[in-house]
Amino acid sequence: MAGGRQFRRDAFSLWLEAPLVIAMRCHEMGFAALTGSTQNTAEMTKMVTEKMAATAESVVAANFAVAKAMMTAASPSATARAVSEAAIKPYGKRVRRNVKRLAAKKR
């Protein structure tokens, strides 16, 4: 059941790594405010556009999962799982990528 593992991985990423990304970004913004740096504008723009793209991708993926389930006459529980997996995947992918990127900045 590879799909179930991916869902758990994405859910775990959101549960554990999303607060870490928020903390790293808040730290950077606070440091930029103290030093008068304007370099954080790019990070803030990336943060907003990334969330909008993840939301759009999530909605499309969930709709495709619903349509596929309706065409295959899947059970309600299988449909719910497929829609959940499709909806959460874009967020988990971005959170993991942000943790790596933001952690690499500190080195």
Side-chain angles (χ1 to χ4, degrees):
M1 207 173 259
R5 271 184 261 146
Q6 183 63 40
F7 177 73
R8 287 189 296 273
R9 180 180 177 189
D10 290 334
F12 184 74
S13 290
L14 290 175
W15 177 75
L16 181 68
E17 294 173 336
L20 183 60
V21 170
I22 292 168
M24 286 191 279
R25 283 181 165 158
C26 286
H27 176 74
E28 283 185 15
M29 286 187 258
F31 188 72
L34 288 174
T35 61
S37 173
T38 57
Q39 71 184 28
N40 236 13
T41 306
E43 183 64 31
M44 285 189 245
T45 302
K46 182 176 183 65
M47 181 173 57
V48 172
T49 57
E50 193 174 66
K51 282 180 177 54
M52 291 178 358
T55 300
E57 188 178 335
S58 178
V59 169
V60 169
N63 283 326
F64 273 113
V66 169
K68 183 178 178 183
M70 290 176 73
M71 286 190 282
T72 60
S75 70
S77 62
T79 300
R81 191 169 91 207
V83 171
S84 298
E85 289 173 0
I88 202 171
K89 187 176 181 178
Y91 292 105
K93 178 175 62 175
R94 283 174 175 82
V95 167
R96 284 189 302 277
R97 190 172 55 214
N98 279 330
V99 167
K100 289 178 186 175
R101 182 178 57 79
L102 292 169
K105 278 183 169 182
K106 305 296 180 208
R107 293 179 192 170

